[in-house]
Amino acid sequence: MHRIFQRFIDDIWESVDLQGLQEAMAEATAALDLRCFAYLSMPRRRGADAQVISTYPAAWTGHYVESHYERVDPVILRAARTPDPFEWGHGVDLNELTPPQQRFFDEAAGFGIRCGFTIPIHDGQGPVAAITFAADQRHPAFRRSIETHAPVLQLMAMYFHAHARRKLVADRVVDGAALSPREFECLEWAARGKSAWEIGCILGISRRTVAFHLDNARAKLDVRTVCQAVARLSASRPTSH
């Protein structure tokens, strides 16, 4: 366990972007027999999108963010009420579910997300984020890993949050303009040569929604075309990036 944790810390410190953070946590969770993880940073203002870093299926995370499911997700609602880690899923009580919450769980199950262990992250102003380690069923290896490594997982969650919070803010400032998570994400994929249709497939959102976010990014950067916005993005990055 010490070797896995030390490797995780080293990878977190060496990561230069959100993809690096995702890969560091993904490698650690795989080494601990945990299937997938999701980090959700809760929106601070009404109407804003939650920010997600995860190894869940892209179609599910895209649908989750676009639908503002953090408002009905029983796991996130509980994480907002308590700082204590908890398990959830079949056989674990999350209180009585409303019809929308039951439909939410049914949708998540369709993507193989049926149970998990969630670590809420609170600060002096209340809940700010949560990290969930999820699986398609509460099989023995999953339960054993959670029971054995829960304290270490909590420490990993705090390290991850500390680095993610800085990168989520700093990495979205392009040439002095602060982009939303979706605007920045779409612009990054455009910089990799992806079309609006391809970006939509990757993120699990419609082509029209991608175009909307790219138009917003273009307007914030005060340029006429997406190509010019991509050029601004490239110019804003350090040459060593």
Side-chain angles (χ1 to χ4, degrees):
M1 182 62 226
H2 176 77
R3 179 183 58 81
I4 295 171
F5 181 72
Q6 188 59 58
R7 175 63 181 273
F8 169 76
I9 296 300
D10 291 343
D11 288 345
I12 285 288
W13 276 103
E14 293 171 4
S15 64
V16 296
D17 55 19
L18 297 179
Q19 181 66 31
L21 289 180
Q22 181 195 61
E23 291 171 357
M25 183 63 89
E27 182 175 334
T29 54
L32 295 173
D33 291 322
L34 299 171
R35 178 171 169 264
C36 56
F37 86 94
Y39 167 83
L40 184 142
S41 180
M42 300 175 187
R44 282 297 197 184
R45 57 185 176 83
R46 187 176 181 84
D49 288 340
Q51 300 169 10
V52 178
I53 305 171
S54 84
T55 52
Y56 286 4
W60 171 242
T61 55
H63 179 54
Y64 186 107
V65 172
E66 292 295 319
S67 302
H68 290 284
Y69 271 165
E70 75 278 359
R71 299 173 185 173
V72 299
D73 183 348
V75 174
I76 295 303
L77 294 178
R78 177 170 174 178
R81 293 193 303 268
T82 175
D84 299 324
F86 57 90
E87 287 189 63
W88 55 270
H90 181 68
V92 180
D93 181 34
L94 266 177
N95 298 322
E96 187 175 349
L97 300 178
T98 66
Q101 290 173 335
Q102 186 59 61
R103 287 194 296 271
F104 164 82
F105 269 141
D106 290 343
E107 281 191 65
F111 289 91
I113 302 165
R114 295 183 174 87
C115 62
F117 176 67
T118 295
I119 301 167
I121 300 170
H122 291 222
D123 64 12
Q125 297 178 333
V128 292
I131 289 187
T132 293
F133 301 94
D136 57 350
Q137 58 179 316
R138 299 178 71 235
H139 48 75
F142 177 82
R143 297 194 65 185
R144 183 167 56 251
S145 185
I146 295 301
E147 291 169 0
T148 304
H149 304 304
V152 177
L153 291 173
Q154 287 180 256
L155 192 56
M156 288 170 60
M158 297 305 297
Y159 270 104
F160 189 90
H161 169 67
H163 285 265
R165 180 170 52 184
R166 286 196 294 269
K167 292 184 183 299
L168 283 168
V169 175
D171 284 2
R172 292 192 282 107
V173 176
V174 178
D175 200 18
L179 305 184
S180 75
R182 269 292 192 236
E183 290 163 1
F184 186 83
E185 198 171 23
C186 289
L187 190 59
E188 272 210 317
W189 281 112
R192 298 178 191 181
K194 301 299 182 182
S195 68
W197 180 83
E198 290 172 320
I199 296 170
C201 291
I202 293 168
L203 301 181
I205 58 180
S206 70
R207 178 187 179 281
R208 180 176 296 181
T209 300
V210 172
F212 170 78
H213 290 304
L214 288 175
D215 282 345
N216 284 346
R218 179 182 53 75
K220 287 182 179 181
L221 293 170
D222 195 26
V223 295
R224 296 177 59 187
T225 68
V226 172
C227 288
Q228 290 172 326
V230 166
R232 289 282 184 91
L233 173 65
S234 299
S236 71
R237 289 172 166 169
T239 54
S240 62
H241 188 76

